[in-house]
Amino acid sequence: ITRVKLDKPSLIMHTVNCIGDSVDYATCHANVMNLLHSDSIDAYSAKLLLAATGENSLRTLPSPIKERIRATIFKQMLITIAEQKRQKG
């Protein structure tokens, strides 16, 4: 087994590609914490990601739709963060 070292934008995009069509909050939280601890995202971005994908943000949606919308929001936010990091170099 070989561990591959990815740059920060690539690690973020790997996370995006691992998220399916739906995701629960616990999975979002775990992914955000992994990205934070690897220094791929900062604490402010982590807080925004968790707020946007949290139960309070999506509480008015029925459960099957909620997890699909959460995945879409989570992936779009991560893509934006990765793009910003690539532009900064």
Side-chain angles (χ1 to χ4, degrees), residues 44-57:
Y44 181 72
S45 296
K47 286 181 183 184
L48 289 177
L49 284 161
L50 293 175
T53 60
E55 291 300 319
N56 282 340
S57 296

Side-chain angles (χ1 to χ4, degrees), residues 62-75:
S63 196
I65 295 170
K66 180 187 305 189
E67 298 196 349
R68 292 178 64 86
I69 292 174
R70 178 181 287 122
T72 301
I73 292 168
F74 189 50
K75 289 191 279 189

Side-chain angles (χ1 to χ4, degrees), residues 25-53:
Y25 178 73
T27 302
C28 282
H29 187 272
N31 279 291
V32 168
M33 291 298 108
N34 287 339
L35 291 170
L36 180 62
H37 293 301
S38 70
D39 290 325
S40 296
I41 62 173
D42 59 24
Y44 181 72
S45 296
K47 286 181 183 184
L48 289 177
L49 284 161
L50 293 175
T53 60

